[in-house]
Amino acid sequence: MTLNDWLLFLAGGFALSIYPGPNNLLAVTNGAREGGTRALLAGLGRIPAFALLIALTAVGLGVLLANSETFFIVLKWLGAGYLVYLGLRAMTAPDQGPPGAEGLRAPIARLFGREFLVAATNPKAIAIFAAFFPQFVAPGEPVALQFLALGLAFLLLETVAIAIYAYGGGAMARLLGSARGRRRMRLGTGFALAASGALLAMSEPPGRR
């Protein structure tokens, strides 16, 4: 791969990573409730899920899954339902005080698992990887090594995006200051998560658009 190809991949990969999708909305929610560092650790739960999807794309299964209408429908309803559930939980959660304050905090393992499930049950992520990564695989060179390099680079960009949203959520909650302000933020991020679930439920398989 040429330097120009790498620059294009990094630019496109960062655009995909920073897009305010379900996982990034969840990172903001966690940042507001748990603080930036805990939200960052939780956000790393999406990394193994994306690594698995990239590996499936590398062996050719990503294209098959992205174009399987039955698989798409089952996965989208699982993902949509889970996003709506998380959104409602965020909207009805009690105030825990400013991020980082003492109080009841969800275990990191639970937050990590939520991020993993949101990433793994998003059929659009499979379609994106199946469409995006092959464009940067040079013919005549080892495919596995290229996907490994591209995958590691993308996961690094994703980690940067997690940090931006996690610490951004914490900063927003601190700026709002009051319990009323934090509640408004919980309502806003919860609604955004639930809306993402509704939009995912209304989406169609790639072949039908």
Side-chain angles (χ1 to χ4, degrees), residues 22-100:
N23 276 105
N24 285 334
L25 290 175
L26 184 56
V28 171
T29 302
N30 288 334
R33 286 177 55 81
E34 307 288 339
T37 299
R38 285 173 59 83
L40 172 59
L41 294 175
L44 295 178
R46 76 181 76 166
I47 298 300
F50 285 159
L52 175 61
L53 298 182
I54 293 170
L56 291 175
T57 301
V59 298
L61 293 179
V63 176
L64 294 176
L65 295 177
N67 290 282
S68 170
E69 185 169 341
T70 300
F71 178 81
F72 182 94
I73 291 173
V74 170
L75 201 58
K76 85 165 184 179
W77 281 108
L78 287 173
Y82 191 57
L83 285 171
V84 171
Y85 164 76
L86 290 178
L88 293 176
R89 282 284 301 270
M91 286 188 282
T92 58
D95 183 42
Q96 295 182 195

Side-chain angles (χ1 to χ4, degrees), residues 1-2 24 49 54 93 95 110 124 161 175 201:
M1 184 185 298
T2 65
N24 285 334
I54 293 170
D95 183 42
R110 184 187 303 169
K124 289 187 174 182
L175 285 173

Side-chain angles (χ1 to χ4, degrees), residues 11-21 24-25 46 154 157-165:
F14 185 69
L16 292 173
S17 298
I18 206 68
Y19 181 80
N24 285 334
L25 290 175
R46 76 181 76 166
F154 182 85
L157 294 172
E158 192 68 33
T159 302
V160 173
I162 295 170
I164 291 173
Y165 278 94

Side-chain angles (χ1 to χ4, degrees), residues 92-113:
T92 58
D95 183 42
Q96 295 182 195
E102 292 297 326
L104 296 176
R105 300 298 179 192
I108 288 294
R110 184 187 303 169
L111 299 174
F112 187 96

Side-chain angles (χ1 to χ4, degrees), residues 73-204:
I73 291 173
V74 170
L75 201 58
K76 85 165 184 179
W77 281 108
L78 287 173
Y82 191 57
L83 285 171
V84 171
Y85 164 76
L86 290 178
L88 293 176
R89 282 284 301 270
M91 286 188 282
T92 58
D95 183 42
Q96 295 182 195
E102 292 297 326
L104 296 176
R105 300 298 179 192
I108 288 294
R110 184 187 303 169
L111 299 174
F112 187 96
R114 288 175 183 172
E115 283 271 4
F116 179 90
L117 286 175
V118 169
T121 57
N122 185 355
K124 289 187 174 182
I126 298 175
I128 287 172
F129 289 135
F132 181 64
F133 274 71
Q135 298 181 47
F136 297 93
V137 175
E141 299 180 17
V143 174
L145 289 178
Q146 292 185 77
F147 263 95
L148 178 61
L150 293 171
L152 290 175
F154 182 85
L155 295 178
L156 180 60
L157 294 172
E158 192 68 33
T159 302
V160 173
I162 295 170
I164 291 173
Y165 278 94
Y167 285 103
M172 288 171 63
R174 285 191 296 272
L175 285 173
L176 291 172
S178 66
R180 177 180 295 181
R182 290 192 297 271
R183 173 166 173 74
R184 287 176 178 173
M185 184 172 179
R186 289 197 305 276
L187 289 174
T189 55
F191 178 80
L193 281 170
S196 293
L199 290 173
L200 180 59
M202 293 186 292
S203 64
E204 296 182 354

